Amino acid sequence: MREHKKTILLSFDVEEFDLPLEYGINFPLAEQMAVAKEGLENIDKILMDKIISCTLFTTANFARQFPEKIASLSGDHEIASHTFYHSSFSREDLLHSRQVLENIISKKVFGLRVPRMKKIDAGWIKEAGYSYDSSINPTWIPGRYNNIRSPRTSYIENGITRMPASVSANFRIPLFWLAFKNLPYTYYKKLALDTLKKDGCLSLYFHPWEFTDLSNYSIPKFIKRKSGIELLNKLNRLVADLKNEGEFLTIHSFLSRAP
């Protein structure tokens, strides 16, 4: 029997860099936007690679600041919603953010990821006009969430497809951005390839602002270490290695192929 080609779902949360606010640092919105925009420009090599299609979960707040950039990226990549603002959320933001993004890119927006991977009612998501949600990290992270019993791969809930972020094939070690930043590359790659082999799909997510120099911000070391060019080189290495293992697709394209 012919083996199905494995799939890599690479996504970025394109958002204002509001992380310092979580640690009591006064950080003006203009600077939040500037750092986020710099990070987006720093990953241009990946986004311009014609072999790679990825999903950009974008806040409407960021997209309104840089509409030309987001519209341009929508030519090769999927633009999905990261709600309206990264620092606050209301139910109305689901519909409003989708409408703003669709107006900017002149395309339909199918997907949603709620900031900080917060799970919300599937009925709200369906009502706002989305077909899938990628806000589930099926693991336990103290102080954030406990989804240790959630499915590890895509599933349907009340008419909405939930597309979880990937975790390791054993023990559900999250393969998200903090793991990539802090684990040795060879170990992270092994976990990622084990998951790809088991699931046939690998869903990874990052933030553009990670690929700027974070060393001068008063934020925890586990967040700001290995940022900027050092982290970008590490991501380029991962992307190059994963090209040998499978096909890079947007989340919507991948889910559309499902039987």
Side-chain angles (χ1 to χ4, degrees), residues 54-69:
C54 64
T55 305
L56 305 174
F57 291 95
T58 308
T59 65
N61 193 27
F62 183 90
R64 288 197 305 182
Q65 289 289 317
F66 308 104
E68 295 85 2
K69 181 66 173 178

Side-chain angles (χ1 to χ4, degrees), residues 81 84 90-102 124 127-130:
S81 174
F84 211 96
S90 68
R91 182 173 177 177
E92 292 74 21
D93 291 340
L94 298 175
L95 175 60
H96 193 194
S97 64
R98 180 177 65 78
Q99 291 173 331
V100 168
L101 291 173
E102 289 181 345
W124 292 10
E127 181 182 86
Y130 299 95

Side-chain angles (χ1 to χ4, degrees), residues 24 62 150 154 169 225 231:
F62 183 90
S150 296
S154 63
R225 70 189 296 267
L231 189 64

Side-chain angles (χ1 to χ4, degrees), residues 33-43 62 208-209 211-213:
M33 291 292 184
V35 172
K37 179 63 161 40
E38 179 186 351
L40 193 57
E41 291 170 348
N42 287 348
I43 62 172
F62 183 90
W209 50 259
F211 304 98
T212 64
D213 183 2

Side-chain angles (χ1 to χ4, degrees), residues 3-22:
E3 184 179 357
H4 291 290
K5 194 167 187 179
K6 296 179 176 62
T7 304
I8 296 97
L9 305 177
L10 177 64
S11 65
F12 294 92
D13 292 353
V14 183
E15 63 198 31
E16 48 272 35
F17 177 56
D18 61 354
L19 185 71
L21 301 180
E22 293 188 35

